[in-house]
Amino acid sequence: MAKTSTTTQGLRAAIERSGYYPALVAEAVESAVGGEPVRSFLVHQETTFDANEVRRHVTVLVLTGNRFIVSHTDEQNADSTSPSPYATTSTESVKLEKISSVVVSRVVSDPETYTPGRLPREVVLTIGWGAVSRIDLEPAACGDPNCDADHGYTGSSTADDLSLRVSEAGDGPETVAQALAFAQALSEAIADNAR
């Protein structure tokens, strides 16, 4: 692993490279991190199209020795509440022991010729810590096709606090590699913290 100062400098450089309000994003992230050493990070800028508007946002994930930090910044156009465009930045700090799942989904082309170490064409990183859950319900039924009794509902609850998708085509191979490295560092830190 890189030295802490190098990792912290790399985080600042990645935020600046994203070109998305770097002073605002860096200040929010650095404030949340405080004086803790940065073990790993991921900066992901995404552009979305909403009706006739183009919106940009950036998500910064940071791993320290004890915490997982999520920073998200969105830009907004002028509206009835603000005569000029504005940005909203939020940060959340999660203790590592609160993280309940780290899911890494990899999409690879030509799986029959896959060789270890080859980058997937896209990665979806989903991290759950219990702040947001999704509940999917459906009517319960029994095996009797003639039964018309009410059997209540059945369903599942899924932790879905953060889901981030990066692709080689849209974000570049460096970002895909960084997402995998961050996911591995986070999984290792959670395992170390559980001991």
Side-chain angles (χ1 to χ4, degrees):
M1 174 161 300
K3 294 180 182 174
T4 300
S5 61
T6 304
T7 305
T8 302
Q9 291 168 355
L11 172 59
R12 176 69 122 146
I15 290 170
E16 289 175 1
R17 233 182 352 267
S18 79
Y20 184 84
Y21 307 121
L24 173 65
V25 173
E27 181 180 53
V29 170
E30 289 167 1
S31 176
V33 170
E36 284 189 76
V38 173
R39 292 174 63 178
S40 187
F41 64 87
L42 175 62
V43 177
H44 181 249
Q45 192 220 329
E46 186 175 16
T47 303
T48 57
F49 301 93
D50 183 18
N52 294 330
E53 297 177 353
V54 176
R55 292 183 186 251
R56 298 180 307 155
H57 55 265
V58 68
T59 302
V60 180
L61 309 179
V62 179
L63 175 63
T64 70
N66 301 311
R67 298 181 298 145
F68 165 66
I69 298 164
V70 180
S71 175
H72 190 81
T73 304
D74 282 301
E75 65 183 359
Q76 308 291 327
N77 291 324
D79 58 23
S80 62
T81 63
S82 177
S84 61
Y86 61 98
T88 304
T89 300
S90 62
T91 56
E92 182 172 2
S93 175
V94 181
K95 291 181 180 180
L96 289 178
E97 59 264 15
K98 295 288 185 185
I99 296 178
S100 57
S101 66
V102 177
V103 180
V104 180
S105 299
R106 303 165 191 240
V107 177
V108 297
S109 299
D110 303 316
E112 67 278 356
T113 63
Y114 179 79
T115 56
R118 188 176 87 193
L119 283 179
R121 72 175 193 216
E122 77 179 54
V123 170
V124 178
L125 174 60
T126 304
I127 303 168
W129 57 92
V132 177
S133 292
R134 181 181 67 239
I135 298 176
D136 295 319
L137 294 175
E138 60 185 40
C142 68
D144 181 358
N146 298 319
C147 180
D148 62 355
D150 182 357
H151 294 285
Y153 289 89
T154 185
S156 62
S157 175
T158 308
D160 196 17
D161 295 305
L162 174 78
S163 190
L164 188 107
R165 178 187 169 270
V166 296
S167 70
E168 188 175 28
D171 303 296
E174 300 83 14
T175 304
V176 172
Q178 185 67 35
L180 290 171
F182 182 84
Q184 181 175 347
L186 181 59
S187 293
E188 290 171 355
I190 292 166
D192 289 346
N193 200 28
R195 292 184 187 142

